[in-house]
Structures are given as structure tokens and as C-alpha cells.
Amino acid sequence: MLVSKNLAVNEQGHLTAGGVDTVELAKQYGTPLYVMDEGLIREHCRSFKESMDRYYGGEGLVCYASKAFCCKAMCRIMLEEGLGLDVVSEGELYTALSVGFPPEKLCFHGNNKTDSELSFALEKGVGRIIVDNIYELDRLNRLAEQTGRNANIMYRIKPGIDAHTHNFIMTGQIDSKFGFALETGEAYEAVKKAIECSHINLVGLHCHIGSQIFDIDPFVRAAEVMLTFIAKIKDELGFEVKELNLGGGFGIKYTEEDAPVAYDKYMEKVSEKVKEVCAEKKVKLPFILIEPGRSIAAPAGITLYTVGGRKEIPNIRTYVSIDGGMCDNPRYALYQSKYDVEVANKANLPKSETVTVAGKCCETGDLIGEGMPIQPVEPGDILAVLATGAYNYSMSSNYNRIPKPAVVMLRDGKSRVVVKRETLDDIIRNDLD
Ligand SMILES: *Cc1c(COP(=O)(O)O)cnc(C)c1O
């Protein structure tokens, strides 16, 4: 079974994505190559949007977390699908604005936004700036005052939920660099302060409890904790928090071990809880935002490589070397993330081998995976790593001065380049003589 629903094997035994032969793509565009299926991306967007309509009367906004995969084409797709967009830097903000994304549908995140970034966001009229700490509140209030504008903000809150995921990507608990703690009263004091700020309009609260989460329970508990806090603010401070942003983090299928729930289950369960707590505490139903990133982009992407060589180390392992690596996909090096791999030109054969896929960077840890079941693989084969649509291109680097691969987008059986392959001249572009 292939992990993403848009993948199949054709009569020649080649892996296809969105109905397109991936071996042909490798021939046409060269490798390494990122391939994204626009049809599947749009399907994910609609599924989240429909669940917001069905279970919460459409009183919310689905914002794609663009850090998962951001380029102009992707921002344009989100715009056409009617989603909002999360940005976490001036660079992502600039990309979104460059395709005419309405600033009021942007959320600006980050635990250390610079003055320059905050001024840029104010000037462009970004809909919601998610304030991470009290110093940022002060700076933003001052910058807003200087420019005679008001800043619409949400507060990033740590609801203290343990989402049972990998430590590196768990962000809701108290020991996190993101946001205000609830338990210590820090968040409550910050709300009091924001209400008093002259140029700050506190529109909502935000939480994001982690990533690649399969359980719906932690999300439901986070919603409950946040609404209880909103009720306390109303009762004790007489202030109405109108919006609740519940973040992203929905798990996807990287390998057979992963069993994600259907995306619309999430809104169903969370809506139930939100309505229940609001009725019980006599709080007005908030406008809800959710921020899926990985779940929209990851299953829609694969990366194609050419195999250069193999190295059999008796009784230890077999290395298969590819023409990319941690420079285009650092996730195994960072978190030992698991992927499925296929020999794209032999995808009809059984996976009779187990190999370590190694990148071409000068770094022992430059691996795409270890103990990976694969078809018999030899130099010249096209290797496809699956579900690489999120946090691959966006986390890529020029380590070893390797140019970044192109990104090809598939739609209706056709392909087009949406990000050009970098050239050697790109590599030395900023170097001065
Ligand atoms: C990373 C992030 C997301 C998206 O997380 P996914 O796991 O990709 O869905 C959403 N909101 C915030 C604030 C984030 O930092």
C-alpha cells in the first residue's frame, strides 16, 4: 500500500503521482526533484473548509500554515481555495503579499519578531499578529502608536497539554519557548495589560499544541482549557475575547505505522466541545481559526532522486546513495522522521531489500532513513521518497553549496515548474569579489 492516495503504479511498473509517471518527470526535469500534486492539496483545503462549515456553521477560518511549504504558487492556491494564511517571518509575509493575498486573512506568528517585521506587518494591515510575549506587546504598542495605527492581536497561550508526540515538536507544555503560560498566571496578567494598551486590540487567543498528532483528545482538551480561560476573562475582567485559534498539528501517514483520523473528525469533536463549554459558562461562541500545515501539504508531495551507488557492509547494512539528502530533506537528521521509499521505475516489484538511504552531503548523519524496505535497487534507478510535501523544500539549505531542487506542480495530468532549480550562479550570487 502506498501512503498517499494520489499514488499508484502504472502498466510499465512505474510509480505515478496524480496520474503522472514519476520516471518521466525525473527524465523531463532532472533530479533531485520535488513533485507536488495540486489536486490533492486542493482536496485537503476543501476537506478542512467543509468541516468548518458543517460542524461550526462556517463561523471560522482555515489558515494554511505556510511554513510547511511556501512559494508563490502555493499562496495562490490557498487564495483561490478561500483559506487564510499563517506566516512566521517577513519572508513568508512578503511571499503571500506578492500574490495579492488579502492581509486581513493573514496571521503573523513567531516568538521573536523583529521591529522591522512588526512594522512591515502593521504597515500592510495584517489581520492578526500573534503576540508571543510581553516585550513584544510593548514593542508592538509603541510601533503602532508611532505610525498611528491599531494592532489586532491574538495571544499565544501554552495550554499545558501533553500531546504525546516527539519532544522536539511538542509546543503546548509549559517548558516551551512559545507563548504565555496559563498555570503561572502569566497569561492572565498579559491579558489585563493588553486591554489597557492604547494601540492594541486583543481579538483572540491562540494555542498550538504540537505537530503530527493522531489523537483528537488533546485538541479537545486544549479547546476546553482555552474556553475556560476566555470565560474567566469575561467574568473577572468584563472583556469579551471574540476569537479562538486552535492551531494545527494534525498527523499524516508517513508510513504504514501511522493511522491518521479523517480531517473532518477533528472539527466535529472540537465543535461539540466548544459549544458545550460556551453554553455551560455562558460565553458567546467564538470565531474559530485552525492552522493545518503538514496535513495539507505533506501527503501531496514526493521527492525524486537518482541512485548513484550502493555499498554493502557485510552483516551491518547496505547504503544506497542518492543525488540529494539533508540539504533537501533534513527531517531524518533532525528528528529521525520515518519515510516510505519506492524505486519509481520498479514500483511493481516486491520490496525484497532493506537499505539505508544516504544523501550526498559531507555529514555522517546525512540519511533519509535507515532500515527502509525497498525494491531491488541499483545505480541509475529513480528513487521516490513519499509524503515529503511539508517541511522539506521549506527546510532545505545550500549546505555543501548544493543548489536547491526545482518544485514541479501537477494538475489534471500535466506538470509545470513552480520553483526553478537553483543554478551554480545562484550559489555564488551574493559572494563579493
Ligand atoms: C507549525 C505550526 C502550525 C502547523 O503545524 P502542522 O503540524 O504543520 O499542522 C500551525 N500553527 C502554528 C502556530 C505553528 O507553529
Side-chain angles (χ1 to χ4, degrees), residues 69 81 172 198 206 317 357 362 372:
F69 171 62
E81 291 297 328
S198 56
H206 168 276
R317 64 166 103 200
V357 175
C362 283
M372 300 175 103

Side-chain angles (χ1 to χ4, degrees), residues 44 46-56 216 250 261-272 290:
H44 294 151
R46 285 170 200 172
S47 155
F48 277 113
K49 222 165 158 261
E50 280 163 22
S51 74
M52 184 68 82
D53 293 345
R54 186 171 326 127
Y55 299 109
Y56 204 65
I216 294 186
F250 318 119
V261 286
Y263 295 159
D264 73 337
K265 273 276 169 268
Y266 165 82
M267 270 316 291
E268 182 184 355
K269 297 289 175 209
V270 167
S271 298
E272 260 170 35
I290 59 170

Side-chain angles (χ1 to χ4, degrees), residues 65 67 86 109 156 206 208 211 248-250 291-294 391:
K67 71 175 193 251
D86 272 14
H109 289 274
R156 170 101 185 221
H206 168 276
H208 171 70
S211 205
F250 318 119
E291 307 174 320
R294 184 192 312 275
Y391 306 110

